[in-house]
Amino acid sequence: MQVNWREITAARNTFAALYAACETEGFVLRQVSGPEDDVTCYSLNSINAPHFEDEIASAHCVTVVGGPHAAACPAEVAAYADYVVTGEGEHTLPRLLRAIEAGETRPIPGVATQDGICPPDHTVFLPAYPPFSQFKGYIEISRGCPFGCAYCQTPCIFGRRMRHRPVDEIARYAARFRDARFVTPNALAYGSDDGIHPRLDRVECLLRALDKNQIYFGTFPSEVRPEFVTDESLDLISTYCANRRLHFGAQSGSDRVLGLLRRGHTVADVENALDLCRDHGFTPVVDFIVGLPCEEDEDELATLALIREVTRRGRAHVHLFIPLPGTPMANLRPKALLSEMQRDLGRLALNGKISGSWGDPERRFYRNR
């Protein structure tokens, strides 16, 4: 049975991980630019999913769809796809492919069809699966997030308990690269038992093991949280890592809004992280969400003030609120931006101080080829 993987730029790292997982079970995923026999697999997010719906619905082959959108809206996706992987794919996808190959019709845990949804019966144990094999990808060092931010799909898909890949395995795969870059919800939470209280001794153990690499840690795609930015954590990054930028999320300049978002930190934590970056010679790169439905005008102006402060010391990455399925804010819509916010964001962008998209979310998320 030939198993194909639909090439989508936003899903490259997912392809690397699932190629490795399927390979261990005897299935080789062949990259294709459209659906082909016998089976074609897709990984979709909630922005690009509508662009592939007609292609999947009209495909003359068995279609399997996973990814964040499938996990959040399994019944919707099952209306146009044959099978929907509703969560983590490393165990479920090979299990499903074996069933398809054998012609089995029984429900597969973690898979939805038009007949209904069979709940998953497992949680992925990261050390059981390689981060990649033939096709290289960023190494996922941790999965899951305990904070439950109201706009974020991560805890909805991967749970609120962090799981970590062992140091020796990370080092073994990192040895295939010159630069070591990682995927994690919060790099400085690596090794933490609860994901809330850092274990910097374990972070140092990881960084020390990567002595053959040029390490990038706390920068995309391994951002950190502002309250994890301390003298001790920055000392570690200064000692072991090549990056002199630190990427963390503020999201809002209003403590009231941060509380409603369930962010778990304050504006003071962000300002302290900015001061510490300056003291340790790091350039901060700070994420913000604008157009939050829970904002009043004064909250939006407080966010703009914090963006201005950030851009005096570093850079801001700004994007418009996107209501993602499966999250507590899924049914809300962005608030129209104040003219002052629009004017200043445009001016800062022209001066190279900010990046992102606060008008069209597809510019950030949708990549077809």
Side-chain angles (χ1 to χ4, degrees), residues 10 34 42 75 85 120 139 243 270 283 337 343:
Y42 294 73
V85 177
I139 301 171
N243 55 289
V270 176
T283 299
L337 299 184
R343 182 197 67 212

Side-chain angles (χ1 to χ4, degrees), residues 12-14 17 126 131 137-144 154 158 162-165 170 180-187 190 206 216-223:
R12 281 178 177 172
N13 217 65
T14 301
L126 285 184
Y138 295 131
I139 301 171
E140 185 181 23
I141 62 173
S142 301
R143 182 178 291 183
T154 295
F158 298 122
M162 290 196 81
R163 292 161 277 161
H164 307 287
R165 198 177 294 278
I170 296 170
R181 300 178 187 269
F182 308 108
V183 172
T184 170
N186 177 9
Y190 177 77
L206 170 62
Y216 291 84
F217 197 80
T219 187
F220 180 83
S222 60
E223 298 93 335

Side-chain angles (χ1 to χ4, degrees), residues 34-262:
E36 295 188 20
D37 291 339
D38 299 310
V39 178
T40 302
C41 302
Y42 294 73
S43 179
L44 304 179
N45 62 44
S46 296
I47 299 299
N48 64 26
H51 298 270
F52 293 95
E53 182 175 337
D54 289 344
E55 176 181 305
I56 295 167
S58 61
H60 298 293
C61 63
V62 174
T63 54
V64 177
V65 178
H69 187 70
C73 306
E76 173 192 309
V77 178
Y80 58 85
D82 295 309
Y83 299 95
V84 181
V85 177
T86 62
E88 299 174 298
E90 288 93 342
H91 178 68
T92 301
L93 181 56
R95 190 181 193 180
L96 172 60
L97 293 175
R98 285 196 301 271
I100 293 172
E101 188 173 47
E104 297 177 4
T105 57
R106 59 183 173 84
I108 303 297
V111 175
T113 67
Q114 291 186 6
D115 296 326
I117 302 171
C118 187
D121 60 356
H122 71 284
T123 298
V124 166
F125 180 56
L126 285 184
Y129 297 94
F132 60 82
S133 58
Q134 178 179 338
F135 294 91
K136 293 181 180 179
Y138 295 131
I139 301 171
E140 185 181 23
I141 62 173
S142 301
R143 182 178 291 183
C145 179
F147 288 96
C149 298
Y151 55 83
C152 182
Q153 288 180 319
T154 295
C156 307
I157 299 170
F158 298 122
R160 297 183 66 168
R161 182 176 180 179
M162 290 196 81
R163 292 161 277 161
H164 307 287
R165 198 177 294 278
V167 167
D168 57 348
E169 184 182 3
I170 296 170
R172 184 168 69 254
Y173 281 92
R176 297 178 60 179
F177 297 93
R178 183 195 67 176
D179 296 349
R181 300 178 187 269
F182 308 108
V183 172
T184 170
N186 177 9
L188 289 170
Y190 177 77
S192 171
D193 296 320
D194 59 7
I196 298 172
H197 300 91
R199 286 294 305 269
L200 294 182
D201 57 327
R202 294 175 179 172
V203 173
E204 182 171 19
C205 183
L206 170 62
L207 298 179
R208 218 175 29 237
L210 300 170
D211 59 342
K212 296 182 175 60
N213 296 98
Q214 184 164 267
I215 308 168
Y216 291 84
F217 197 80
T219 187
F220 180 83
S222 60
E223 298 93 335
V224 301
R225 288 177 56 87
E227 74 273 25
F228 280 67
V229 180
T230 63
D231 284 315
E232 293 78 13
S233 62
L234 292 181
D235 282 342
L236 281 179
I237 296 174
S238 294
T239 300
Y240 293 100
C241 303
N243 55 289
R244 285 300 174 264
R245 290 189 175 191
L246 194 73
H247 197 151
F248 58 90
Q251 314 310 355
S252 174
S254 163
D255 281 326
R256 187 188 74 86
V257 171
L258 291 175
L260 292 172
L261 295 177
R262 304 193 302 222

Side-chain angles (χ1 to χ4, degrees), residues 290 300 303-304 307 337-346:
V290 295
E300 186 175 340
T303 295
L304 180 56
I307 291 173
L337 299 184
L338 296 172
S339 58
E340 185 176 352
M341 174 70 84
Q342 294 178 351
R343 182 197 67 212
D344 278 21
L345 292 182

Side-chain angles (χ1 to χ4, degrees), residues 1-7 15 28-42 61-62 64 93 97:
M1 182 177 72
Q2 178 61 56
V3 182
N4 306 295
W5 178 273
R6 177 62 159 92
E7 291 183 284
F15 169 67
V28 176
L29 304 183
R30 182 170 67 101
Q31 295 187 86
V32 294
S33 58
E36 295 188 20
D37 291 339
D38 299 310
V39 178
T40 302
C41 302
Y42 294 73
C61 63
V62 174
V64 177
L93 181 56
L97 293 175

